[in-house]
Amino acid sequence: MRLKPVLLILCCLLFFCASTGVCNASLDFSVFKDRPRLYLNKQRLEHLRSVKDEQPYADILKVVRKRGRGQVGSRVPNNLLRFDASTIRRPADGLLDISFYYLITGDSSYFSTIEDLLHLFSTNPDWAGNSDMGPAHVLFSMSLAYDWFYDELSPALRLLVRDAIAEHAEIFYDLTHKREIWWAQDKGLLQNHNYVNVASMAIAGIALYGEDARAEKWLDEAERNFDEVLGLLSPDGASHEGISYWSYGMLWLLNYYMALAPAQGLDKVRENGFLKNTALFRMYASLPGFQYNIDYADSLMIDYYGPGAFLRCLASIFKDGHAQWLAEKVETERRKRTILWQDYIWYDPEVAPVSPEDLPLFGWFDNLGILLSRSSWDKDASLIMFKAGPPQGYLALSKGVYPGSHIHPDEGTYSIWLGRKSLVQDDSYVLKKLSSSHNLLTFNKLGQLGEGGTWFLQYDYKKSRGDIPRAKFAQGSGFQAVEIELAGLYLPGVRPKSWRRAFVVVNGADVFIRDRVVPQSAVEIESLVHLSREARRVDGGICLDVGGGYSFSFKGDDFSSQLDRYSIPTKTMGKNIPRIGMLFKASGKTSSTESMLTALARSREGCIDPETVKSYDPVSDIAVVESVGGQYRIDFSSLSVTGI
């Protein structure tokens, strides 16, 4: 009779282990017995040295050498007093770049600088606070240099470096294991700070394995952390923090998994939905021409790191020719300035690049509710983005994880680009997170949960049960359509009974948006659209690109509208630079159901006549529209589009 409870407990334990990954048996780290052991072994190093004069390896080395020299400067500093957690990355990354260049080329003129930098960091124990990403960059660079040049360092310097690595790895272990800092807690598991800091601790563990008894403890803690992270990452491959922070996080996720590959293989990478799909997301998130990328959340129109190196890595792991093509294309368009030393070791020449011409012109990323649709893969194409999911994605929300930091209160917003030019704008890295900075509705001038602070206020979002059902998605010949219920993202005091936004894209270029609001009581509704600075009123409508063909129009009973210049303070690459444009605002006060229709489309008359909506019946929820592409009947209730 006692056997059944025991079996039940064992089954529950097995299920818990399988779902969380925290019961995995310890990995066999004894594979890390020879040097070098980080990212390459003697045989691999021999091969990498043999191809240094071939392409693309020779070009990669030139960029790495130039960047390393620029980061270090004419001489190594005497101390670290003037560095903070951000600026200390520069000499740390410089150490790594020139270390890799010396490792491959054997150019001895760089070795004394490497020794000086190692001595600098080893004899100055305070690495700008020792608790976040700047010190993590130092720990990472020190660990690689220690491993790569183990036999070349003098016994005295080797001891200094080893002790410094161990001291700082233990600091990061305590922060991670005890969860004494935000990036080690649940809210940090979907944040690039977590990946950088924990990965650096793991790399230190590999560097000191067999020399310091604590190394295995650091590695086990890193595995526990990243198993949790993998269970939360958006399985559609999309990023809640935007492309800039996606690039930073991706680099460090792969820094970790590629370093651990000799001990644990790459099955965890291959089986993870996010890592499997994220190169495709980055393809669709590229602006026409591939020099820049879409900007949303706190991210800009550029990757902070790469993205060539980790796209090459993903191409190698998944035999993905599209990722290989995108890596080469972006690096070419950016004049190879984005190349990293990891490009050299992660490039797999056996994977042939494949252009995106064989891909659909749209991508629907359902966990974060992101639609990306374009008219073609040409550099003068149009690109549309619609964003309609929980700020952290449905998967993380289902597990009660509420990340903050670089996300915005912007669900239901959208952006439009023509080539690399923004016609309908996002707010970028804004200094204060407000829904009114996005292309949304506000109610009594209040926006979505999480707004009002320098960072997304996740406590307010969690406390007020910010939640939205999954979006409805439809596609057909030449169109995509999404409808999402967004009322649940607003404060209970102003939250309408319903706000359903239907977003329809025709031919990857023309956008028609129906907003249907059912208020709780009398409320002022504002519909906000942030347009480029070139937008001008023309015959009752608005031309988005004067002299071009894109037009804007709004239909809503009892709404008044205005178009004014606006400026939003932003934080761009460390500088406060305002984002300037034209703000369209339609306002109306009502206690009854309201339906509004917004059109952003290419006028058949080249914007001489900006009206593209021929009729709209709120009762039937059907509009007849006309653009350069033709005349269409849009049924918003069924999310269908038919040609007329």
Side-chain angles (χ1 to χ4, degrees), residues 35 38 80 91-93 95-96 99 114-125 127 134-150 153 157-166 168 200 203-204 207-208 252:
R35 297 190 187 277
L38 279 165
L80 299 176
D93 293 349
L95 167 62
L96 192 47
S99 291
I114 293 169
E115 290 179 307
D116 289 345
L117 283 165
L118 289 173
H119 188 270
L120 168 71
F121 290 126
S122 298
T123 56
N124 289 268
W127 296 348
H137 278 244
V138 180
L139 182 59
F140 182 67
S141 300
M142 293 272 285
S143 300
L144 266 65
Y146 180 80
D147 175 54
W148 292 345
F149 311 128
Y150 185 87
L153 299 176
L157 182 55
R158 188 164 61 231
L159 181 61
L160 276 174
V161 174
R162 185 184 70 193
D163 288 348
I165 291 171
H168 289 83
S200 70
I203 272 63
L208 298 191
W252 284 87

Side-chain angles (χ1 to χ4, degrees), residues 215-237:
E216 193 162 345
K217 175 183 71 173
W218 306 332
L219 287 162
D220 287 340
E221 184 62 25
E223 183 189 12
R224 178 205 60 76
N225 176 88
F226 281 111
D227 280 349
E228 287 191 59
V229 168
L230 284 188
L232 296 171
L233 291 171
S234 189
D236 56 17

Side-chain angles (χ1 to χ4, degrees), residues 374-490:
R374 65 184 66 220
S375 58
S376 74
W377 290 104
D378 297 333
K379 67 178 181 180
D380 59 351
S382 55
L383 174 62
I384 316 296
M385 176 187 180
F386 181 56
K387 186 172 182 285
Q392 75 277 46
Y394 289 103
L395 176 63
L397 180 64
S398 71
K399 297 185 177 184
V401 175
Y402 295 84
S405 298
H406 296 298
I407 58 179
H408 288 202
D410 64 351
E411 304 313 319
T413 194
Y414 56 94
S415 299
I416 300 176
W417 293 267
L418 186 57
R420 53 187 265 186
K421 176 183 177 183
S422 176
L423 299 180
V424 178
Q425 301 185 143
D426 183 72
D427 64 346
S428 191
Y429 197 151
V430 73
L431 297 179
K432 192 173 186 179
K433 275 51 174 178
L434 295 170
S435 295
S436 58
S437 300
H438 296 276
N439 305 307
L440 294 171
L441 301 187
T442 62
F443 302 99
N444 287 345
K445 301 191 182 300
L446 294 176
Q448 295 177 1
L449 297 166
E451 74 169 0
T454 303
W455 307 109
F456 185 89
L457 301 176
Q458 62 179 5
Y459 177 77
D460 290 350
Y461 173 68
K462 182 177 181 180
K463 178 184 176 183
S464 297
R465 301 183 181 224
D467 194 6
I468 51 178
R470 279 192 178 268
K472 290 169 57 181
F473 174 75
Q475 60 168 302
S477 179
F479 81 90
Q480 301 87 45
V482 183
E483 187 178 44
I484 183 73
E485 171 61 71
L486 293 162
L489 292 179
Y490 288 77

Side-chain angles (χ1 to χ4, degrees), residues 443-444 517-525 557-559 587-596:
F443 302 99
N444 287 345
V517 178
V518 182
Q520 294 274 9
S521 57
V523 65
E524 182 186 14
I525 302 173
D557 293 340
D558 303 319
F559 277 77
S587 305
K589 191 164 187 177
T590 182
S591 58
S592 58
T593 299
E594 287 287 345
S595 292
M596 296 154 273

Side-chain angles (χ1 to χ4, degrees), residues 300 427-431 568-572 575-579:
L300 313 178
D427 64 346
S428 191
Y429 197 151
V430 73
L431 297 179
I568 299 176
T570 64
K571 182 179 181 181
T572 303
K575 297 179 181 179
N576 295 341
I577 302 174
R579 172 157 285 199

Side-chain angles (χ1 to χ4, degrees), residues 272-286:
N272 181 260
F274 173 79
L275 295 170
K276 188 185 303 181
N277 296 314
T278 198
L280 186 65
F281 170 71
R282 181 61 182 80
M283 178 75 80
Y284 282 104
S286 302

Side-chain angles (χ1 to χ4, degrees), residues 47-59 61-62 104-105 344:
H47 170 72
L48 292 177
R49 284 172 172 168
S50 72
V51 297
K52 69 179 186 300
D53 297 322
E54 300 175 12
Q55 293 298 345
Y57 301 102
D59 282 347
L61 282 176
K62 286 179 184 176
I104 299 299
T105 66
Y344 198 102

